Amino acid sequence: MLVFAKIKSVQQKIKSLKKGTSIGFVPTMGALHKGHLSLIERAKKENDIVVVSIFVNPTQFDKQEDLINYPKSIDADLSLLKSVYCDIVFAPSSKEVYADDVKSENFNFDGLEFKMEGKFRDGHFNGVGTIVKRLFEIVKPNKAYFGEKDFQQLQIIRNMVKNHNVPVKIVPCEIYRENDGLAMSSRNARLTEDHRKVAPFIYKTLKLAKLKFGIENALNVVHWVENELKKQPLLELEYFEIAEEETLQTIKNKNSKQKYRAFIAVFAGKIRLIDNISL
Ligand code: AMP
């Protein structure tokens, strides 16, 4: 496994690959867990080589405190990446990526950016678009793997690739969960013991919401979830929405031809957790 911190050196290595070598790319912010590894394993199966980036992207954080406290574990990450036979790791510094201009590009994601996460995390998706576009330009992958855990992000990237004619195939990957249902996340490591104990309530509620959505109207389901969360003093609901998968528009009237998904964001103490489920 080769590890690069400089754009020039990783580009040189990629250029030196035999013509026709297919590259699968998994962008991450490190603090790797089995959810990340599931993307890498999939990329490994579908490509000749796999490139993983580790970069805690400052421009996608709306709160400085969140950026500072984001977990970092580069040594453990590299061991995990070796264990799944990752070929190339690109782990640049912020200076390498942004020089002295730590700013996002302004994107138009056709309105996807104003929903859910976009409402609560100012500038987040411009930051995501900026770094993913930049990383795609550097790595030039054939395919890039994104988790449905961050479903809105996945749709934003698909939109960016389409509107900017970026020649990368975006591969969505299922949410990888702990045995108790909690969606794996680098942030889980920062939960207190008590918050960790109640956190599986989020997915349990999503599963019940899915059942209810089969027999009740969407508004009832939304109210039911809001009430359920009130019963958990350790969890604070930020939003619960049922939206069309493709456009992320909030559901109005159920249409049997549409695909819907339920999205949730919850604070467990200071830690913000998100999850979603296909309905
Ligand atoms: P992050 O390091 O949080 O930026 O995540 C890097 C990639 O891994 C993103 O595409 C995430 O959606 C994906 N990912 C994170 N957690 C999970 C999970 N539990 N299951 C599937 N994919 C995940």
Side-chain angles (χ1 to χ4, degrees), residues 27-29 33 35-36 39 70 146-147 149-150 174-176 184:
T28 81
M29 298 209 296
H33 51 68
H36 295 113
L39 271 58
Y70 197 83
F146 289 87
K149 159 84 174 19
D150 303 283
E174 267 178 32
I175 303 176
Y176 200 91
M184 288 204 182

Side-chain angles (χ1 to χ4, degrees), residues 29 55-61 67 97-98 127-128 130-131:
M29 298 209 296
F55 181 60
V56 183
N57 174 36
T59 60
Q60 71 187 69
F61 286 82
L67 170 62
V97 174
Y98 288 105
V128 169
T130 302
I131 189 61

Side-chain angles (χ1 to χ4, degrees), residues 104-116:
S104 296
E105 242 181 86
N106 262 318
F107 287 89
N108 173 356
F109 297 115
D110 297 326
L112 292 170
E113 68 273 41
F114 303 124
K115 313 277 170 204
M116 299 179 291

